[in-house]
Amino acid sequence: MAAARVLLLLSGRPESVSFAKSVCGLLGAGSGLGPWPTHCGLKRGQLVLSDKPFPGASARLPLQRPPFCPFAALDQQPRAPGVELPPKGRGVDLGVAVILQSSDQTVLLMRRTSTLNVSPNLWVPPGGHVEPDEELLDGGLRELWEESGLQLPQGQFSWVPLGLWESAYPPKLSWGLPKYHHIVLYLLVISQESQQQLQARIQPNAGEVSAFMWLGPDIAAAVAATEDGTETPKHLPQDLPSSVPAVELKENGGAQPLALPTSTLLRTTPGTADSRERVSTGTKFALTLWLQHLGRKSRDGS
């Protein structure tokens, strides 16, 4: 059996997490919206989490789940006869996603192709599974290269872990029982290159990516402010542009400019299965963390 990728320190010793259990719930999350500060051991190919400090913990990061997390819902209701989740013994997978920031403070998002079986048409940062025995940063940089074609020269970027997201697909019980369960580590990777320089080198993987864009703080703040589970986003600026510039891949292998309606980025997760284009809930959380990081850097004068 493969080694567990996500471990929790419960009763002082590391334990693997059952697929069907909410990680946030096991770490003591109540009925609030979070996030919950969590002590983390960022090991090679593995993540150790605890609600208390422990030897080997290398970071204290916010851990969040969506308000409609299906695993939280399953924790609170009896399972109907005949309802089956993945086989006993399957744990929670480990993922990593890169919030790539240019030197002029924009971040890269990519739209997943409509043909993917999991999360089609979602706008997300580059990311994916961490391989066994792979350092988390190395996994993030590998996924960045595989999806965008961008390789960042050593010494020309810095990085910092931003936070953790408990991810499920399908994302709501009303869509069906979850088939995938991940803890995703968001890494902020700050390049010394400008958006223009990075865009000149980008070569998206057309098998996974159908479009990409760079978001600045103003639009990112509006996207992050949309509250999933509500019909109308709240507290949005009144002077948002009607569209956001993006680049869309063409079937012949080329690319073309795309004026993406801003309203598309403000959509929330629907109650029933729907593959309409929108920004993923986890990405909104990551954008919030990025904006908080920018605010701290601004206050520090750095």
Side-chain angles (χ1 to χ4, degrees), residues 1-168:
M1 181 181 294
R5 311 305 301 281
V6 177
L7 298 174
L8 302 188
L9 276 180
L10 304 173
S11 303
R13 61 188 181 88
E15 299 179 14
S16 60
V17 186
S18 167
F19 177 93
K21 291 292 185 180
S22 167
V23 172
C24 291
L26 290 171
L27 288 173
S31 58
L33 294 178
W36 297 274
T38 303
H39 297 271
C40 313
L42 308 177
K43 297 186 176 183
R44 185 182 291 269
Q46 197 173 66
L47 186 65
V48 181
L49 304 176
S50 175
D51 60 346
K52 299 180 178 64
F54 62 92
S58 53
R60 187 169 183 253
L61 300 174
L63 169 65
Q64 180 67 294
R65 66 186 178 191
F68 44 78
C69 174
F71 298 106
L74 288 170
D75 285 346
Q76 298 171 10
Q77 65 185 48
R79 200 170 309 162
V83 172
E84 294 294 336
L85 286 169
K88 187 177 181 180
R90 178 174 168 184
V92 177
D93 289 320
L94 176 59
V96 63
V98 169
I99 305 299
L100 177 62
Q101 177 186 313
S102 66
S103 63
D104 35 1
Q105 295 190 344
T106 60
V107 293
L108 175 66
L109 293 186
M110 312 191 86
R111 187 179 68 194
R112 291 169 58 83
T113 64
S114 60
T115 56
L116 292 173
N117 292 327
V118 177
S119 303
N121 284 328
L122 284 191
W123 284 95
V124 295
H129 285 87
V130 177
E131 300 295 340
D133 297 324
E134 186 176 43
E135 296 285 359
L136 297 175
L137 175 61
D138 292 340
L141 295 177
R142 173 185 51 76
E143 289 287 347
L144 174 65
W145 174 71
E146 290 177 357
E147 295 183 14
S148 72
L150 288 171
Q151 287 186 298
L152 303 182
Q154 289 294 330
Q156 296 188 25
F157 69 90
S158 58
W159 69 282
V160 61
L162 284 180
L164 300 159
W165 178 256
E166 183 166 16
S167 169

Side-chain angles (χ1 to χ4, degrees), residues 186-204:
Y186 286 109
L187 297 178
L188 173 61
V189 174
I190 305 169
S191 174
Q192 294 179 11
E193 295 179 272
S194 68
Q195 174 186 322
Q196 185 176 11
Q197 290 172 312
L198 290 168
Q199 180 137 331
R201 297 198 294 113
I202 198 168
Q203 295 181 327

Side-chain angles (χ1 to χ4, degrees), residues 227-259:
E227 186 178 343
D228 274 315
T230 61
E231 295 183 0
T232 305
K234 300 175 182 178
H235 312 302
L236 294 179
Q238 300 299 310
D239 56 351
L240 288 175
S242 60
S243 64
V244 176
V247 177
E248 188 169 44
L249 306 188
K250 298 194 293 187
E251 292 184 1
N252 64 5
Q256 61 187 8
L258 170 67

